[in-house]
Amino acid sequence: MGLFTKDIQSMDDLFAHQLQDMYYAENKIVGSLPDMIEKSTNPDLKTAFESHLQETKSQVRRLEQVFQLCGLETKAVDCPALDGIIEEAEEVAGDVAEDRVLDAALIAAGQSVEHYEIARYGTLIAWAKTLGRNDCANLLAQNLAEEKAADQKLTSIAESGANRAAA
Ligand code: ZN
Ligand code: FE
Ligand code: FE
Ligand code: FE
């Protein structure tokens, strides 16, 4: 944010800002997932995080395509919301003594991240359409579909026993 001038003047600027925020978030997630994979003990959970890491890397590429299509500079702005979710997850995980309880904590952390992403992509897609950028909306919709599937996968792992095993 500018000190003397407000740097978001239009919907285009707001869209760009939110896109840069997601670019930061996805890159941060690429950095955080290896740690979550390492900490997971449930093999299904490990696999789910591993495949979402690969998807997240393609999501970063899609965001780069969106920057390009819109003629925007590919850059990231801090996302304090995602930093907070990751920080909280690391704090809680650090306090868990038992493996299966740790899996439950990791599922909860993963789902918080997915829900943040689902909210943000929903908004970005709506704004892209408003701005007449269906090409960008389509790319963003591919990311959104992967986040929703990742969220559902985590729900099914939790329901199929990870939480019960932890109880
Ligand atoms: Zn800002
Ligand atoms: Fe993502
Ligand atoms: Fe953010
Ligand atoms: Fe995700």
Side-chain angles (χ1 to χ4, degrees), residues 41-61:
T41 58
N42 178 319
D44 292 338
L45 183 59
K46 220 180 243 294
T47 305
F49 283 144
E50 273 162 358
S51 72
H52 200 50
L53 173 57
Q54 295 318 311
E55 283 174 343
T56 303
K57 288 177 182 169
S58 348
Q59 292 173 359
V60 169
R61 301 285 94 79

Side-chain angles (χ1 to χ4, degrees), residues 93-143:
D95 286 339
V96 177
E98 223 257 292
D99 278 357
R100 284 169 304 180
V101 179
L102 181 56
D103 283 344
L106 291 170
I107 291 171
Q111 290 196 286
S112 302
V113 170
E114 297 317 317
H115 283 238
Y116 178 74
E117 295 182 287
I118 289 166
R120 285 308 164 113
Y121 280 124
T123 300
L124 274 171
I125 291 164
W127 288 349
K129 286 180 182 164
T130 306
L131 296 168
R133 298 309 308 238
N134 284 325
D135 48 353
C136 296
N138 288 337
L139 284 161
L140 296 163
Q142 291 175 43
N143 285 9

